[in-house]
Amino acid sequence: MSQGAGGSSSLLLLAGLLSALGPSPTSSIHVYTQREVHGTVGSHVTLSCSFWSSEWISEDISITWHFQAEGSRDSTSIFHYAKGQPYIDDVGSFKERMEWVGNPHRKDGSIVIHNLDYTDNGTFTCDVKNPPDIVGKSSQVTLYVFEKVPTRYGVVLGSIIGGALLLVAVVVALVYLIRYCWLRRQAALQRRLSAMEKGKLQRSAKDASKRSRQAPVLYAMLDHSRGTKAVSEKKAKGAPGDSRKDKK
């Protein structure tokens, strides 16, 4: 898997910006590489190298790549560019797996390593000289070869933060939903209680109206019963006189 495309573009852009700023007071050359590159066994990677020089690109420009294997103290030259020609060193394990993809006139000294293996783990150093501008530091990039490229820490951290934010959003949404349902239920219960209270008041008013209409009827019935009783009593009192008259 190639990890150098985006890094190479960024390095070239940085070199172009520095070039546009004009000559450096110290007339030193600046070399830039990525800090580290990841690759998988059998794949390929681009080792990007860009530079800024206070001088015009001369025909004598030289670009050299060195390799220091992981755990080793020795550094070996694996590639050299000079007099307009790239040279891949015959020694080492990179001679049939390396490809020159740079362009010095574009301030690019990148190489590609194909068919990666675990033995490719180590540090690669890019050094550029553009006479008379030869003062400056080289730049190093570390290559890590894996069976599978591990997920980077930033991706893992971003996933964790994203998941936490999503969980918080879900909890907040649930709280608002529960509150909304509770308020809606309370409003419905309040309307129901109001309706029940209103119904009771209406029934009470109807009962009072019925009682007010029934009172005169009751009074009339009572008066009628009292009148009938008085007539009966009068008749009962007059009955003995009539019987005496009949005897005479």
Side-chain angles (χ1 to χ4, degrees):
M1 182 183 66
S2 177
Q3 297 284 335
S8 177
S9 300
S10 300
L11 294 173
L12 289 175
L13 178 60
L14 179 60
L17 290 175
L18 289 174
S19 178
L21 294 177
S24 171
T26 59
S27 298
S28 62
I29 192 167
H30 301 274
V31 183
Y32 308 94
T33 61
Q34 298 167 274
R35 293 184 61 182
E36 62 181 46
V37 175
H38 294 171
T40 57
V41 175
S43 66
H44 67 277
V45 293
T46 298
L47 301 181
S48 302
C49 177
S50 61
F51 61 91
W52 176 86
S53 176
S54 61
E55 302 289 338
W56 292 98
I57 304 301
S58 69
E59 296 297 328
D60 295 327
I61 187 172
S62 64
I63 301 173
T64 305
W65 279 91
H66 293 82
F67 172 67
Q68 183 178 349
E70 187 177 27
S72 174
R73 294 184 178 181
D74 298 328
S75 179
T76 305
S77 175
I78 59 175
F79 175 84
H80 188 71
Y81 178 93
K83 302 295 182 180
Q85 295 294 326
Y87 300 95
I88 299 175
D89 292 352
D90 293 334
V91 296
S93 61
F94 298 103
K95 59 183 179 179
E96 296 179 354
R97 299 186 295 123
M98 187 181 301
E99 179 185 0
W100 164 249
V101 294
N103 186 341
H105 294 286
R106 295 182 180 179
K107 300 179 173 61
D108 183 10
S110 304
I111 59 175
V112 175
I113 298 178
H114 296 274
N115 194 21
L116 291 176
D117 191 72
Y118 291 116
T119 56
D120 299 333
N121 282 301
T123 302
F124 293 79
T125 303
C126 180
D127 185 59
V128 181
K129 297 290 187 289
N130 184 38
D133 192 359
I134 59 174
V135 179
K137 291 183 178 180
S138 57
S139 185
Q140 295 181 339
V141 53
T142 303
L143 173 63
Y144 296 97
V145 181
F146 302 94
E147 183 68 28
K148 292 183 179 179
V149 175
T151 304
R152 292 190 176 184
Y153 174 76
V155 176
V156 175
L157 181 61
S159 300
I160 294 174
I161 294 175
L165 292 176
L166 179 61
L167 180 60
V168 170
V170 170
V171 171
V172 171
L174 286 175
V175 170
Y176 275 102
L177 180 61
I178 293 172
R179 180 176 174 82
Y180 171 76
C181 293
W182 182 81
L183 291 175
R184 187 173 180 181
R185 184 176 180 182
Q186 289 295 109
L189 182 60
Q190 187 66 31
R191 288 195 299 269
R192 187 177 301 173
L193 291 175
S194 298
M196 292 174 64
E197 189 67 25
K198 186 176 180 180
K200 288 181 180 179
L201 292 175
Q202 289 178 350
R203 286 194 297 272
S204 298
K206 288 181 180 180
D207 293 341
S209 178
K210 286 181 180 180
R211 286 194 295 269
S212 63
R213 287 196 300 270
Q214 290 175 355
V217 176
L218 292 173
Y219 289 139
M221 292 176 64
L222 288 173
D223 290 341
H224 178 70
S225 62
R226 288 174 183 174
T228 306
K229 186 177 181 181
V231 172
S232 298
E233 289 177 354
K234 287 181 181 180
K235 286 183 178 181
K237 289 179 180 180
D242 294 338
S243 62
R244 286 195 298 268
K245 288 179 181 179
D246 292 337
K247 287 181 180 180
K248 290 180 179 183

